[in-house]
Amino acid sequence: MKAHEVEFVAGATNLDHAPKEPLPEIAFLGPSNVGKSSLINCLLSRQGIARVSKTPGRTQQLNYFRINGRLFFVDLPGYGFAKVPPRVQQQLRKMIEGYLEGSTRLALLLLLLDSRRPPLPRDVELRAWLEESDVPHAVVLTKVDKLKRGELKKSRLRTEELLGLSGHASVLPFSSKSGVGKRELWGVIGEALSGAAGGDDAGLVETS
């Protein structure tokens, strides 16, 4: 996709403060420090649209970015950073759950996991909840440039097995540094948007 126009629209603490435009949404969720902001910037071919921080747990709101006036990217808070106070962790969890349960325009949730580490029980539980709740989602393995080919293959197989994806779906490798997986991920996003529009608006995503 060519992101001709990218605009930060709002940082919301709940859906009541979210933009009211009836545009489909692609949401991004993952553990703190998984490379979520870097992935968004890479997808949009922009630097600094989504703020990249060396401090895990920095995103503490629902950040809405309007893309080409046709859809929203929604950057959700990261989860699982131990140094975030318990009270704040609870607030962030409530914010994430409120979005996932209440958004009526969510076309696809991208669950990001670090390719260098096996999914933790919290990740397995989250993926199972997404499946049970019929939340449309795909799993993306980030930072794959840090792995050799054989290591990446093992990482994908391990992730698919632990998340119960074998024979059902696969994970998508991605590197914000090299751009590996960028085109494929845009393809998955395009399919989700077309499906959300009933197949009548495949032009939401312009592939290059």
Side-chain angles (χ1 to χ4, degrees):
M1 175 180 179
K2 297 178 181 178
H4 302 291
E5 298 179 6
V6 180
E7 180 184 3
F8 174 72
V9 177
T13 56
N14 55 56
L15 289 178
D16 291 337
H17 300 106
K20 304 305 180 186
E21 298 169 79
L23 301 178
E25 297 170 0
I26 305 297
F28 300 79
L29 176 64
S32 296
N33 206 33
V34 76
K36 183 157 48 69
S37 296
S38 295
L39 180 144
I40 292 174
N41 289 333
C42 179
L43 278 178
L44 299 176
S45 299
R46 300 288 203 281
Q47 292 295 326
I49 291 296
R51 184 178 178 184
V52 179
S53 174
K54 294 182 180 180
T55 304
R58 180 59 63 92
T59 302
Q60 297 189 0
Q61 57 187 5
L62 312 173
N63 290 321
Y64 286 78
F65 302 88
R66 186 190 299 114
I67 315 299
N68 294 345
R70 307 296 298 279
L71 67 144
F72 281 118
F73 273 10
V74 186
D75 185 7
L76 303 178
Y79 61 84
F81 184 50
K83 291 186 179 180
V84 173
R87 177 182 59 83
V88 177
Q89 290 189 36
Q90 183 63 27
Q91 290 175 347
L92 296 179
R93 177 167 181 165
K94 184 177 180 180
M95 192 185 307
I96 294 170
E97 291 178 348
Y99 174 82
L100 295 177
E101 293 175 348
S103 176
T104 59
R105 299 192 291 267
L106 178 61
L108 180 68
L109 172 75
L110 295 174
L111 176 59
L112 278 52
L113 298 174
D114 193 324
S115 62
R116 300 169 298 175
R117 303 179 179 90
L120 295 176
R122 69 191 184 200
D123 306 315
V124 176
E125 180 181 355
L126 172 58
R127 218 295 297 183
W129 181 85
L130 294 173
E131 184 76 18
E132 293 170 2
S133 302
D134 293 324
V135 176
H137 63 281
V139 178
V140 181
L141 286 180
T142 63
K143 306 181 182 183
V144 300
D145 55 280
K146 299 182 182 297
L147 298 179
K148 297 178 180 179
R149 181 175 299 180
E151 293 173 332
L152 176 57
K153 182 178 180 180
K154 291 180 181 178
S155 175
R156 294 182 68 174
L157 292 174
R158 177 183 62 194
T159 300
E160 290 174 0
E161 180 179 0
L162 290 175
L163 296 184
L165 293 171
S166 299
H168 172 71
S170 61
V171 297
L172 303 167
F174 193 94
S175 168
S176 300
K177 184 176 181 180
S178 67
V180 166
K182 179 177 178 179
R183 185 178 182 87
E184 290 78 9
L185 186 50
W186 268 123
V188 170
I189 292 173
E191 291 178 5
L193 292 171
S194 179
D200 296 328
D201 201 352
L204 276 171
V205 168
E206 174 189 349
T207 55
S208 57

